[in-house]
Amino acid sequence: LAEREKIAYRILRDLAMRVTDDSPVRLFFMSDDEMGLRLGLTSIQAHRILKGKLAKMGIIKVVENGIQRARGQRGIATIYQWNMATL
């Protein structure tokens, strides 16, 4: 993995291991916009890392696709499942 993909991997791993009322272990929410902000990238670049690289490699799995925000409509982050073994 490239350096930014490794950073994304660590961010997602940490999110997946957090247990909250809204998100059981291994499930987490992440939008392309949020990942882009965290990595200093555009949403499209973040999308390519999330769905184009990590999801295709089987590291994460899309459980439910989000909804892109639009005028008068609030966006909803995609729900992912972490597929890697925990340490």
Side-chain angles (χ1 to χ4, degrees):
L1 294 174
E3 187 59 32
R4 286 192 172 148
E5 293 163 353
K6 289 178 184 178
I7 295 168
Y9 176 97
R10 290 191 296 269
I11 290 168
L12 300 178
R13 179 197 59 209
D14 292 347
L15 285 174
M17 296 307 120
R18 290 182 55 191
V19 177
T20 66
D21 291 341
D22 295 335
S23 179
V25 71
R26 294 187 175 273
L27 290 181
F28 59 94
F29 309 94
M30 179 59 68
S31 69
D32 296 340
D33 288 342
E34 178 64 27
M35 182 55 79
L37 287 172
R38 289 175 181 231
L39 296 175
L41 302 172
T42 65
S43 295
I44 294 296
Q45 291 170 312
H47 176 84
R48 290 180 185 138
I49 291 173
L50 287 168
K51 292 185 179 163
K53 186 73 169 194
L54 300 177
K56 284 187 178 178
M57 291 177 70
I59 294 169
I60 57 175
K61 175 184 170 189
V62 175
V63 174
E64 185 175 335
N65 275 312
I67 299 171
Q68 189 172 10
R69 70 173 181 260
R71 183 181 297 222
Q73 181 181 2
R74 190 170 173 223
I76 299 173
T78 298
I79 301 172
Y80 293 95
Q81 177 182 335
W82 183 257
N83 286 333
M84 302 298 291
T86 59
L87 299 176

